[in-house]
Amino acid sequence: MTTDTPVLPDALTARARTAAHPGGEGPRADGPGDGGLRIDGLRVDGPGGDGLRVDSPGDGGDRCDCPRTTLADRPDATVVRHGGTVAKAHAADTEPTALALRLATAARLPDVLLAPHTAAPEPLGGRLVTLWPYGTPVDRDDPDAAPWEAAATLLARLHRAAPPAVLPPMRGPAKAVRAVGRLREALEAAPRTAAGDAAAAPSVLRAWASLPAWTRAEAPMPGPPVLCHGDLHLGQLVRYPAPDGPWRLIDVDDLGTGVPAWDLARPAAWFACGLLAPDEWARFLNAYREADGPAVPPDGDPWPALDVPARALTVQTAALALAKALAAGRPLDEVERSVVDACARMTAVPH
């Protein structure tokens, strides 16, 4: 299959709309005779077709009043909402079997992870697509209402759940590798006259080189395999049922087995960099411990367990910040500068 990238959100919206109206009261669909569909002017080819294309502008078939919006449109994910249904097109290099295993794990833990509508991913325009119920996300404009306790409690439940024997490793270290790769690519692409913040890149790369091999995806993760989310931040929580149901974790792309402290590492890194207030960090850590989370001891100093993963997440965040700043030809902002400066202060970790 091939696809014209700008068409993907439209095709995904058509898929979400069809799922949201299974009785046919929503989209107008007429089969072209090859197993494909034309939905509001969008041609979605059948099994013998080559992907997606727009045949003609919509002609008034889009009649329902459901809320619809594009929630994300990035190279690694396109996500759209139609009413109570969300459709996600995963990254082009997503492995189907691994994604199916992650979906099955989410379906098995509906009190922790948002359960998918689809048992297996479906192809659409060269991408794998999954369908989900819509949940209300964290309000970014109200930081005082950030659900730190709920996030910690859900993580503890996830970490205590028995992982399926066939689940792949969690992809946290792999994401860190990609972030550092993006920094190196940005440095190569930046003009020779780009100084300033580019001069901070060596300290980020030195901090990366100082980390243990497992954090750089160069060796197996240590310890017994624990079920991990792999990319925990507040954008990975929604209330379901919307608008005020219980909190659930979303985004299974990085779900797998590994070191549970990795899931606590981003808040820990923010706290260490001065980006998360001490009382918010205490709320998060205490809630995790109260829920018997296994990543840190039940009392005492948590940093022997958190130090290495927190360093790795700091480097990942700094690498992405520098890569984006270099690509945009802009200086680092205050938050980005804080994580880059933290890399410069790092000393080598005993391996």
Side-chain angles (χ1 to χ4, degrees):
M1 288 184 182
T2 60
T3 183
D4 183 5
T5 300
V7 177
L8 181 59
D10 294 334
L12 204 57
T13 298
R15 180 66 64 88
R17 189 172 185 217
T18 300
H21 302 287
E25 66 274 21
R28 173 182 54 81
D30 53 284
D34 61 358
L37 292 175
R38 284 189 182 90
I39 303 177
D40 298 335
L42 178 72
R43 169 65 181 270
V44 182
D45 287 344
D50 62 356
L52 323 169
R53 55 184 176 271
V54 175
D55 288 339
S56 61
D59 60 0
D62 191 11
R63 292 183 296 270
C64 79
D65 295 325
C66 294
R68 77 286 307 274
T69 187
T70 298
L71 302 175
D73 191 11
R74 309 183 305 267
D76 65 331
T78 300
V79 186
V80 303
R81 174 195 179 189
H82 184 97
T85 299
V86 172
K88 178 175 183 177
H90 298 259
D93 61 352
T94 300
E95 204 282 314
T97 301
L99 180 55
L101 290 169
R102 292 177 167 115
L103 292 172
T105 302
R108 187 172 61 88
L109 297 170
D111 292 337
V112 178
L113 296 158
L114 188 68
H117 282 329
T118 42
E122 303 172 356
L124 180 67
R127 303 278 284 276
L128 293 175
V129 171
T130 52
L131 298 172
W132 305 81
Y134 174 75
T136 304
V138 174
D139 186 353
R140 296 183 180 182
D141 296 327
D142 189 7
D144 291 337
W148 289 112
E149 290 89 350
T153 300
L154 289 169
L155 280 183
R157 292 177 185 169
L158 182 71
H159 294 165
R160 295 200 319 265
V166 293
L167 194 66
M170 67 95 169
R171 298 175 66 244
K175 295 193 76 165
V177 170
R178 286 204 305 272
V180 173
R182 281 186 60 179
L183 173 58
R184 291 191 169 114
E185 291 172 0
L187 289 169
E188 292 176 0
R192 293 183 181 276
T193 55
D197 288 326
S203 65
V204 175
L205 295 176
R206 281 195 298 271
W208 175 247
S210 75
L211 293 170
W214 72 266
T215 66
R216 305 192 306 267
E218 294 174 358
M221 285 178 265
V226 174
L227 185 56
C228 300
H229 182 275
D231 188 29
L232 188 279
H233 52 81
L234 290 179
Q236 306 287 34
L237 287 97
V238 298
R239 286 191 179 275
Y240 178 75
D244 53 8
W247 291 104
R248 295 290 179 262
L249 295 171
I250 62 170
D251 190 355
V252 300
D253 290 82
D254 304 308
L255 187 74
T257 57
V259 177
W262 192 278
D263 283 344
L264 282 67
R266 185 174 271 113
W270 290 347
F271 168 67
C273 292
L275 301 176
L276 184 65
D279 63 321
E280 293 178 309
W281 166 245
R283 286 166 49 200
F284 177 79
L285 179 63
N286 291 339
Y288 183 83
R289 283 173 154 168
E290 289 170 4
D292 296 325
V296 294
D299 50 39
D301 186 3
W303 285 99
L306 295 176
D307 182 61
V308 167
R311 288 171 182 249
L313 263 294
T314 301
V315 173
Q316 175 182 322
T317 306
L320 283 176
L322 270 174
K324 292 176 180 178
L326 288 169
R330 63 167 176 80
L332 295 170
D333 64 29
E334 184 177 356
V335 170
E336 293 169 333
R337 169 60 60 186
S338 68
V339 291
V340 170
D341 288 347
C343 291
R345 296 192 297 269
M346 287 185 192
T347 57
V349 178
H351 294 198

